[in-house]
Amino acid sequence: MVPWRSSRTQGSSSGSTPGSMGPSSPPSDTSALSSGDDSGSDFEATLRPCGKRGRQQGPDQSHVRKCPRMTEPNGGCSSASTVSPEPNTLFEAIKSAKIAMETVVVDWLETYKRDRETGFLELINFIVCSCGCQGVVTPQMFRDLQNSEIIQQLTEQFKEDSSEYPLSLNTRPWRRFRDGFCELLTAVVQRCQYSIIYDEFLMGSLISFLISLTDSQVRAFRHTSTLAGRQHPWVAPLRHPMVGVPAPTSIVVVAMKVMSALVKVALGVSVQQENNLRQYEAERSKGPGRRATEKLEALMVKRRELREQQEEIENMMNAIFKGVFVHRYRDVVPDIRAICMEELGTWMKTYAASFLTDSYLKYIGWTLYDKQREVRLQCVKALQGLYGHRDTAANMELFTRRFKTRMVSMVLDKELSVAVEVVKLLTLMLENMGEALTDEDCQSVYPIVFVANRPLAAAAGIFLYRRLLDPQQGAGMDASYDRDNRAFFQVLLTFFIEIELHEHAAYLVDSLWDCAGPRLRDWETISALLLEESPAEGLGDQQEKALVEILAASVVQATEGQPPVGREPAKKPSSRERKAQMEERIRLTHCLIPALPKLLGKFSADADKAAPLLEVLCCFDLSIYCTGRLEKYLVLVLEQLEEVVQKHTEQTVLEAASRALHALCDPELALQRHGDRVRSRLADQLADKFNQEVTEMLQASSLDDEEAYSMAATLKRISILFNAHDLTRWQLFNPCTQLLQRAVDTGEVPPQVLVPTITCLYFHILWEVSSLPTTDVPEEQLQSLKTKVITTCSLSHSCLSDVDSGVREQVHRDLEGWEEMEPALMPGPSLCSQAFRVLSDLLLVLGPQLAEDGREELAPLVLRPDAELQSQLAAFLMDHVFYPTCNQEELLATENSESRIEELHQRRVLLAGFCKLIIYGVLELSAASDVFKHYTKFYSDYGDIIKETLSLTRQIDRQEWARTLLLSLQQLMTELLHQEGPNFRMTEAFPDIRDLARRFSLFFSLHKLRSRPLLVNIHKEGILFAFQKIPGSESELPPLNLPFLEVLSEFSPWVLGPDKALLLTYLDKVTQEQLGVLAPGDTGQWQSLVTYRNSLQPQDGGGTGASSRGAAPTPHPTKRRRLEAPPQAPDSSPRPSTHPSSPALTSTMLRGDPRPPQLSPRLLLSGSILSSPQQQLHDPAVQLGPPPEGVGRGGARGRAERRRGGRGGQGLPLGRL
């Protein structure tokens, strides 16, 4: 029989089959790699020539059938649609996974040897069944039909309602099946490599059938995420196999696996040819008397046989490559392109002699420009296998010259996983290709060590170490054997200083830790380099600073094992890793304890070097000072620490010294007395000096610059020490109070003095609160602490609210004169910002929860803010947080971006402090309107904070939360009316209010039944606000607040159908009561009313709500009857609103107006709980109709509606989101 038959369409031989596309436009200058034709011009001509296959004749020998494969009730020619097949033997064996693969293949080979048509059809039907098709290829179909006709009949056997497809299921049995599927194909080719694959039937027929499937126009075989989608985690989710996709992924995988198996067979034949040639040459080189002529002839016969086998295998591989790969490597489905690149890389590594040529490499080079992540990733991984060996890398010089620019640029790939693999690829090129990468190319990789992604930074660290930092330059010697790392640190310091890209050494150390960790842990060499005094061998000032930072970062990395702040957290260390960290901590402590006093003595005058050295002290195992009899070094370190505190006023060095002193004063430390002695001595000196300066200032009329500088420095040291140490016994509260009171009264105290003064008062109160006994608190102590709390809050309130006093003027006046005098003394936050922080923190610490959990005795200390304080806190947000200049564009456009980012961080801290007061019940929930109304305007700066506050406050009191949302919109509406007048609807700010309402409405979209009463109340109260009469307005004109109905229409899509009818009736009632009956011609002046009414109309045909942003169309006359609703119950009318007629404003311009009392004050911790949703539905204040069909119900109909994304009953589709 003749197995070859052409089933390809005419278009398939042109190189552009359906479903093929270029992944992206490859470079135009590809002439150097364009050798070889990939047009696919009748690739089957490369196989053995044959004519059209006729009816197959039975073989000469009698065949013994293994078993009846199928029943044919009609006899004769049976189509696939009339066959009732038995279970496929191969399919069941692979599915059960109970039979060894070798046994399955051997059994199939026996069947094939007895009857090759039966065995071949069993293999074909196994592939078809694995694709999810229920049809079977019968012997009659195989003999009489072309491949395209067979595929057409198989298509009819797909069940569109079937949900089970073997190669797409993700359960454990089917995952095993997918693995066995590929293993079976490979095993079949390997077992047949010596005879059967050359029988001119099996491989030819199989390849022809697979090529026909890959080029098929039939949709049934074009399901995407089957075998490849589950073998690779990066493939898209599953889709139904009847969905039309441009290429059959599973068949492509089968073809690629068969090709990979053939490549291995070809490699084996090539090895046999080399052995045969070597034997032949050895035999021929013998003398005439020793030469065996018969052996030479046998070797020649074997040589011709191997050459023929090689040619036939190459024909098979050529058929698959040109019939499948050339068309599928640019398929529109990314999964198929990725599979092709993965397998091509495997072929090149396996059989480099045939595939590692420019005619094949060009496909990988072109696909490096692909737009999909998984395709680029597979290309890079394929190149890693080629560049990873010197012998294969040597054959890629032309490819490297052509595509090196692209590979280097991919280190900045937007997909981090691709960038990581690219850096690893460049590292392999660096190791195996010598000078392939220039210095300019390497300069593109070096900065990657400072990125936030740790895997990418670690890969770049390895590249940097191999290229620049390794003194052995690839000699293979382990770093631990290099006893002198001076050269390493010299190069590292030069790189860190010259790159001028990042100031944090912690990122550089973390990037190099995996490859250069032993060198970075060479504490002896680092100490010796820092202590060198010789000008010739010593380090410069910049090098010393950089090396100190690297030392501190290495110590932290060795003892904690965590990446620096900003990088993703590392995994939890195992017990072995924790043990290694403890051992390293002990080792570095023994190494650095003798050197640290000398280092502090040398660099104590430089704050940039002293602060990191003090951080190193905090990482020591301090018990070694006692167990190692190293007490003298502890005394020396404490002396240097005391000197550092007395010398410096910088925030960073003082904070580091305070933390180090706190560690040395640990009560569990055996030598804790030394630390207590130094702390007491420092506190005595600072307290005496401060008391003396306060006395002089109170007696003098004013302070000169030198006196003010001295007092500010003293207070700054005290405030920073107060943060970690209890200094209450030095009685600093009264002097600080007198100083702050003098500033409030006269405004003569500089702001640099006032900021640390408020901080000292705050820490004094916190230390006293923490020292209170749990029970039986003395009354005198409680009253004294309460007096201090009231005094501190009063003074802070004065600093916060006294806007026009001389204090603010003196602040700005002193700031101008102090900028050049001492930058280190310039306070981070301003006076009012620090006062706001102190107030918000004290209100939170001394909130209602203080007197709970058996601490009722502390009830007198609970702070409850009055209306004036709440108004001042809200006004502070308007002045210092929500002001127009703080937007992202201006922040990025400013020259000093770091200061602007720090300023934004400070404002975020202030906003978070205010939001915590609301969440923890200190402030009323209605106070959140001052924050919620800025949600959209300042979304880029504070969107995450406000959104989290919205979510948390909703869990507290849903009804009050909904009223707060409405209050936010009403406040914005009133502000806009005061600013723009009656025509504010045409301004640019009005659409912003509607957009804010739309965002608020999304919080009601998920739980419609639970949000049902909330939405109804929002609409009813909003209607009353819209028709509210304003004194002085003309009665003939529409109400000034009427455009608020357009804002209210944004909530209409989430209102259920019966509630819309109720709201329409209520709207007509309010309209008649307030305005009377409108004539039809008057609707043109009431555009907002028309828009809102349309948004409440029942939806026909699944349309969306009418709350469009443009002008609403005039309603159709026939729809006027919809305004009439059935009679309502007597209690269906809404209760009179108890909310103020005009919402309270807290903006700066209206701050002087009295704030109306807020309704329904609720404290989070007071135990006030809202009634359940079931109780809300029976609230007589709101009569709600039954839920529409399909909303909030289970069953098949509800699930079907949710799957379609359509509406249930009268509800609107979720597609409006």
Side-chain angles (χ1 to χ4, degrees):
M1 62 176 292
V2 183
W4 303 106
R5 44 184 175 167
S6 176
S7 62
R8 294 171 54 86
T9 60
Q10 295 179 358
S12 63
S13 63
S14 63
S16 59
T17 61
S20 298
M21 63 171 288
S24 62
S25 299
S28 58
D29 53 337
T30 57
S31 59
L33 294 175
S34 60
S35 61
D37 184 14
D38 61 349
S39 62
S41 58
D42 198 5
F43 55 87
E44 293 183 356
T46 61
L47 302 173
R48 295 184 179 275
C50 55
K52 178 175 175 63
R53 192 182 79 179
R55 180 182 299 273
Q56 180 180 358
Q57 302 296 330
D60 297 337
Q61 69 275 19
S62 60
H63 294 287
V64 180
R65 300 187 62 85
K66 178 179 179 180
C67 59
R69 303 304 304 161
M70 57 195 72
T71 59
E72 299 181 8
N74 298 333
C77 181
S78 175
S79 65
S81 59
T82 61
V83 173
S84 299
E86 294 182 358
N88 187 275
T89 306
L90 293 177
F91 185 86
E92 295 298 329
I94 300 300
K95 178 182 176 182
S96 63
K98 296 180 179 179
I99 306 175
M101 186 62 63
E102 190 70 18
T103 305
V104 175
V105 174
V106 170
D107 292 344
W108 178 83
L109 285 176
E110 293 178 357
T111 303
Y112 182 82
K113 291 176 180 178
R114 288 194 298 268
D115 187 346
R116 62 182 185 180
E117 180 180 301
T118 302
F120 177 75
L121 290 179
E122 184 175 1
L123 181 62
I124 289 295
N125 288 322
F126 166 69
I127 296 175
V128 172
C129 186
S130 300
C131 292
C133 181
Q134 302 297 324
V136 175
V137 181
T138 64
Q140 194 68 30
M141 294 169 57
F142 182 70
R143 299 189 190 100
D144 298 341
L145 302 180
Q146 294 291 332
N147 285 337
S148 59
E149 297 172 341
I150 294 175
I151 295 171
Q152 183 64 36
Q153 292 198 17
L154 292 176
T155 304
E156 300 173 358
Q157 296 302 308
F158 269 101
K159 296 181 179 180
E160 297 188 12
D161 56 346
S162 177
S163 60
E164 184 179 74
Y165 302 96
L167 295 178
S168 63
L169 299 178
N170 199 30
T171 57
R172 181 177 299 179
W174 294 114
R175 288 198 299 267
R176 290 197 303 263
F177 176 83
R178 286 192 297 272
D179 298 336
F181 179 79
C182 293
E183 184 181 355
L184 175 67
L185 296 176
T186 304
V188 166
V189 177
Q190 291 294 329
R191 293 283 299 186
C192 300
Q193 62 178 321
Y194 299 108
S195 58
I196 297 180
I197 63 173
Y198 309 110
D199 65 354
E200 302 181 2
F201 176 79
L202 174 64
M203 296 306 300
S205 301
L206 177 63
I207 293 173
S208 178
F209 187 75
L210 293 179
I211 292 175
S212 300
L213 286 177
T214 57
D215 288 334
S216 173
Q217 300 287 336
V218 182
R219 295 172 57 190
F221 288 100
R222 296 177 180 234
H223 44 292
T224 56
S225 302
T226 53
L227 177 60
R230 292 305 179 182
Q231 283 182 331
H232 305 282
W234 33 258
V235 174
L238 293 175
R239 280 185 278 177
H240 196 280
M242 294 299 293
V243 178
V245 208
T249 308
S250 57
I251 302 303
V252 173
V253 172
V254 172
M256 295 296 101
K257 294 300 180 182
V258 171
M259 178 73 170
S260 299
L262 288 175
V263 168
K264 295 180 181 179
V265 174
L267 178 62
V269 174
S270 177
V271 173
Q272 293 180 24
Q273 284 183 310
E274 294 177 0
N275 295 335
N276 177 270
L277 179 61
R278 186 168 54 253
Q279 293 175 6
Y280 179 81
E281 294 295 337
E283 188 67 26
R284 194 177 63 174
S285 63
K286 295 180 181 180
R290 300 177 55 192
R291 184 182 304 168
T293 307
E294 296 180 357
K295 185 175 182 180
L296 285 174
E297 293 178 356
L299 290 174
M300 287 295 296
V301 172
K302 182 66 175 179
R303 185 178 181 181
R304 287 193 296 269
E305 179 183 354
L306 291 174
R307 186 181 298 112
E308 292 177 359
Q309 293 179 357
Q310 187 76 16
E311 292 176 358
E312 190 162 353
I313 293 176
E314 288 181 356
N315 288 338
M316 298 176 190
M317 294 190 299
N318 187 40
I320 297 178
F321 187 84
K322 289 189 175 181
V324 179
F325 180 89
V326 169
H327 305 295
R328 293 306 118 212
Y329 90 96
R330 51 187 177 180
D331 197 277
V332 294
V333 180
D335 308 340
I336 296 178
R337 303 199 299 269
I339 293 168
C340 292
M341 292 300 106
E342 180 184 8
E343 295 301 325
L344 179 59
T346 303
W347 305 337
M348 290 179 177
K349 289 187 297 183
T350 304
Y351 194 15
S354 179
F355 286 94
L356 192 59
T357 60
D358 297 332
S359 59
Y360 292 100
L361 284 170
K362 63 183 180 181
Y363 295 107
I364 295 182
W366 291 343
T367 318
L368 285 174
Y369 295 86
D370 198 278
K371 296 180 180 180
Q372 298 297 324
R373 177 191 67 88
E374 57 268 21
V375 183
R376 299 195 304 274
L377 184 63
Q378 290 303 319
C379 290
V380 174
K381 288 185 176 180
L383 290 176
Q384 286 178 358
L386 301 178
Y387 282 104
H389 303 279
R390 292 184 181 273
D391 50 351
T392 56
N395 298 326
M396 301 182 66
E397 294 182 359
L398 179 60
F399 177 86
T400 304
R401 288 199 302 268
R402 173 61 187 84
F403 294 102
K404 183 184 68 173
T405 304
R406 172 58 180 167
M407 290 186 287
V408 173
S409 66
M410 288 178 69
V411 299
L412 301 178
D413 197 278
K414 65 178 182 179
E415 299 292 342
L416 295 177
S417 58
V418 178
V420 171
E421 298 300 328
V422 169
V423 175
K424 294 179 180 179
L425 171 63
L426 296 179
T427 305
L428 293 175
M429 294 175 59
L430 188 66
E431 295 175 350
N432 297 319
M433 289 202 67
E435 301 300 328
L437 296 178
T438 63
D439 293 338
E440 184 179 358
D441 298 332
C442 297
Q443 291 293 335
S444 302
V445 185
Y446 293 157
I448 307 298
V449 297
F450 296 106
V451 298
N453 183 264
R454 192 179 191 280
L456 180 57
I462 297 175
F463 181 89
L464 174 65
Y465 182 74
R466 295 284 187 269
R467 172 73 178 186
L468 193 64
L469 302 178
D470 188 5
Q472 305 300 326
Q473 293 295 330
M477 183 180 296
D478 188 13
S480 60
Y481 292 97
D482 185 14
R483 298 303 180 183
D484 189 3
N485 287 328
R486 291 173 178 268
F488 168 78
F489 285 109
Q490 291 284 357
V491 178
L492 179 61
L493 294 176
T494 303
F495 165 78
F496 184 58
I497 294 172
E498 291 181 353
I499 194 169
E500 296 181 356
L501 183 65
H502 211 283
E503 296 181 356
H504 299 295
Y507 285 84
L508 178 61
V509 170
D510 184 58
S511 301
L512 295 171
W513 196 254
D514 295 338
C515 57
R519 297 185 183 275
L520 293 172
R521 292 192 295 269
D522 189 358
W523 318 116
E524 295 87 352
T525 301
I526 298 178
S527 303
L529 285 172
L530 289 173
L531 293 175
E532 284 182 351
E533 299 292 346
S534 174
E537 300 179 1
L539 304 175
D541 182 68
Q542 285 187 336
Q543 292 178 323
E544 288 177 343
K545 177 184 175 183
L547 187 55
V548 168
E549 293 178 356
I550 291 174
L551 170 63
S554 300
V555 169
V556 174
Q557 187 79 19
T559 56
E560 297 181 2
Q562 295 293 328
V565 178
R567 282 189 176 167
E568 56 213 37
K571 61 180 182 179
K572 185 178 180 180
S574 61
S575 58
R576 178 178 298 180
E577 293 173 344
R578 289 195 298 268
K579 182 180 179 181
Q581 292 174 7
M582 287 299 301
E583 294 176 353
E584 187 61 34
R585 182 190 295 268
I586 294 173
R587 191 179 74 86
L588 71 89
T589 302
H590 281 287
C591 293
L592 295 179
I593 277 181
L596 187 58
K598 300 177 183 179
L599 294 174
L600 285 174
K602 182 179 180 179
F603 302 117
S604 61
D606 192 339
D608 294 334
K609 301 172 186 175
L613 291 175
L614 292 173
E615 294 291 347
V616 170
L617 178 60
C618 297
C619 298
F620 282 180
D621 185 357
L622 298 177
S623 62
I624 296 179
Y625 277 110
C626 179
T627 58
R629 298 182 179 181
L630 303 173
E631 185 175 353
K632 62 177 182 179
Y633 294 108
L634 177 60
V635 175
L636 294 175
V637 165
L638 288 171
E639 292 177 356
Q640 295 297 332
L641 189 150
E642 184 178 1
E643 183 179 352
V644 167
V645 174
Q646 294 174 352
K647 283 182 178 180
H648 297 282
T649 57
E650 287 82 356
Q651 185 86 10
T652 55
V653 66
L654 290 178
E655 289 178 351
S658 179
R659 288 192 293 267
L661 184 59
H662 180 267
L664 294 174
C665 294
D666 188 359
E668 298 181 359
L669 192 62
L671 301 177
Q672 176 249 357
R673 64 183 185 279
H674 296 285
D676 285 342
R677 186 183 304 114
V678 173
R679 179 174 59 185
S680 299
R681 187 162 57 245
L682 277 174
D684 290 337
Q685 295 174 358
L686 294 174
D688 294 342
K689 186 177 181 180
F690 174 63
N691 289 325
Q692 181 181 359
E693 291 172 343
V694 170
T695 303
E696 294 176 356
M697 188 209 68
L698 295 177
Q699 294 176 357
S701 58
S702 62
L703 288 177
D704 57 15
D705 293 342
E706 185 177 354
E707 293 174 345
Y709 171 80
S710 177
M711 179 176 292
T714 303
L715 274 172
K716 191 170 186 179
R717 295 187 181 100
I718 293 175
S719 63
I720 293 176
L721 287 176
F722 225 149
N723 190 4
H725 306 271
D726 185 5
L727 304 182
T728 54
R729 60 191 180 95
W730 277 269
Q731 301 297 325
L732 299 174
F733 187 85
N734 290 333
C736 292
T737 303
Q738 296 174 4
L739 184 62
L740 196 57
Q741 187 65 48
R742 172 72 176 271
V744 173
D745 296 339
T746 64
E748 297 176 354
V749 183
Q752 293 79 7
V753 175
L754 297 179
V755 172
T757 302
I758 297 178
T759 307
C760 290
L761 294 176
Y762 169 68
F763 285 129
H764 189 99
I765 292 176
L766 291 186
W767 280 111
E768 287 202 9
V769 171
S770 64
S771 63
L772 290 175
T774 56
T775 58
D776 299 332
V777 183
E779 186 67 22
E780 296 180 358
Q781 183 179 1
L782 199 60
Q783 291 299 327
S784 174
L785 180 56
K786 181 179 180 180
T787 303
K788 294 178 181 178
V789 170
I790 295 175
T791 302
T792 303
C793 292
S794 177
L795 292 174
S796 300
H797 191 187
S798 300
C799 296
L800 179 68
S801 60
D802 195 1
V803 181
D804 300 323
S805 66
V807 175
R808 297 291 177 86
E809 298 177 0
Q810 183 69 20
V811 166
H812 297 290
R813 192 164 54 245
D814 291 339
L815 284 176
E816 296 176 358
W818 280 48
E819 289 180 352
E820 300 180 356
M821 180 177 180
E822 185 61 35
L825 288 179
M826 294 296 294
S830 61
L831 176 61
C832 54
S833 298
Q834 187 68 11
F836 181 87
R837 290 184 181 183
V838 169
L839 280 174
S840 59
D841 288 350
L842 286 179
L843 289 173
L844 188 63
V845 173
L846 303 177
Q849 75 280 0
L850 182 65
E852 297 178 354
D853 299 332
R855 296 174 64 90
E856 289 77 8
E857 298 180 1
L858 303 181
L861 295 179
V862 175
L863 285 178
R864 293 180 175 86
D866 54 10
E868 181 183 0
L869 179 57
Q870 293 186 35
S871 177
Q872 291 296 336
L873 293 176
F876 179 86
L877 292 182
M878 299 292 295
D879 291 337
H880 297 83
V881 177
F882 298 114
Y883 57 88
T885 58
C886 56
N887 57 70
Q888 193 71 15
E889 290 76 10
E890 293 182 1
L891 188 146
L892 295 176
T894 53
E895 296 180 358
N896 193 3
S897 59
E898 292 185 3
S899 62
R900 294 301 302 271
I901 293 175
E902 180 63 24
E903 181 184 356
L904 175 61
H905 172 70
Q906 297 295 336
R907 293 197 303 268
R908 287 173 58 87
V909 171
L910 297 176
L911 177 61
F914 184 84
C915 293
K916 284 190 292 185
L917 296 178
I918 299 172
I919 294 172
Y920 287 96
V922 179
L923 299 180
E924 298 177 357
L925 192 56
S926 58
S929 62
D930 298 308
V931 177
F932 294 164
K933 64 184 180 183
H934 300 288
Y935 183 40
T936 57
K937 186 176 182 181
F938 296 92
Y939 185 82
S940 60
D941 294 336
Y942 318 118
D944 54 340
I945 299 177
I946 301 178
K947 185 177 181 180
E948 187 68 16
T949 306
L950 281 165
S951 301
L952 294 177
T953 51
R954 180 175 55 176
Q955 303 173 12
I956 301 170
D957 189 333
R958 297 180 66 87
Q959 288 186 351
E960 190 66 23
W961 172 76
R963 295 191 187 100
T964 304
L965 297 184
L966 182 63
L967 180 61
S968 303
L969 299 172
Q970 292 173 349
Q971 288 180 356
L972 290 175
M973 197 78 175
T974 306
E975 291 177 6
L976 189 60
L977 178 61
H978 288 172
Q979 294 174 1
E980 304 294 340
N983 296 325
F984 66 90
R985 184 175 177 272
M986 309 306 297
T987 61
E988 297 179 356
F990 184 72
D992 295 337
I993 301 178
R994 293 195 61 178
D995 184 61
L996 177 62
R998 181 187 62 82
R999 293 211 181 193
F1000 284 165
S1001 68
L1002 297 180
F1003 286 92
F1004 301 93
S1005 61
L1006 296 179
H1007 306 285
K1008 289 187 177 181
L1009 285 180
R1010 192 176 182 184
S1011 303
R1012 191 178 181 187
L1014 308 181
L1015 287 170
V1016 172
N1017 289 337
I1018 287 177
H1019 279 272
K1020 289 186 175 181
E1021 295 183 12
I1023 291 173
L1024 292 179
F1025 174 77
F1027 286 95
Q1028 175 183 332
K1029 290 287 187 178
I1030 297 180
S1033 61
E1034 301 181 10
S1035 58
E1036 294 81 5
L1037 297 178
L1040 295 180
N1041 291 336
L1042 189 66
F1044 188 75
L1045 292 177
E1046 296 187 38
V1047 178
L1048 209 59
S1049 66
E1050 299 292 341
F1051 295 90
S1052 299
W1054 314 115
V1055 179
L1056 301 184
D1059 299 338
K1060 288 185 177 181
L1062 173 66
L1063 291 174
L1064 279 173
T1065 304
Y1066 179 70
L1067 177 64
D1068 293 340
K1069 180 179 179 180
V1070 173
T1071 304
Q1072 294 176 3
E1073 292 178 354
Q1074 300 291 338
L1075 306 173
V1077 180
L1078 297 177
D1082 295 337
T1083 57
Q1085 303 178 5
W1086 304 76
Q1087 190 67 46
S1088 301
L1089 178 60
V1090 174
T1091 301
Y1092 180 62
R1093 189 185 299 275
N1094 290 338
S1095 71
L1096 294 177
Q1097 295 290 344
Q1099 303 301 315
D1100 297 330
T1104 58
S1107 58
S1108 61
R1109 299 197 177 277
T1114 304
H1116 197 274
T1118 58
K1119 294 184 179 181
R1120 298 291 294 178
R1121 292 190 298 270
R1122 291 180 180 269
L1123 299 178
E1124 300 177 1
Q1128 302 292 324
D1131 56 351
S1132 62
S1133 59
R1135 296 180 178 178
S1137 177
T1138 57
H1139 285 273
S1141 59
S1142 178
L1145 300 178
T1146 58
S1147 62
T1148 306
M1149 64 177 182
L1150 299 177
R1151 190 184 308 156
D1153 295 344
R1155 186 183 180 94
Q1158 302 295 327
L1159 297 180
S1160 302
R1162 302 180 187 271
L1163 298 179
L1164 302 185
L1165 301 176
S1166 62
S1168 176
I1169 305 298
L1170 184 65
S1171 59
S1172 63
Q1174 291 77 8
Q1175 295 173 346
Q1176 296 175 18
L1177 294 178
H1178 298 288
D1179 189 351
V1182 182
Q1183 293 293 330
L1184 305 177
E1189 183 180 0
V1191 177
R1193 299 186 181 185
R1197 179 173 181 179
R1199 289 193 297 270
E1201 290 174 348
R1202 287 193 293 271
R1203 285 196 299 268
R1204 291 194 300 268
R1207 60 189 180 94
Q1210 302 294 333
L1212 291 181
L1214 296 179
R1216 192 182 185 280
L1217 287 173

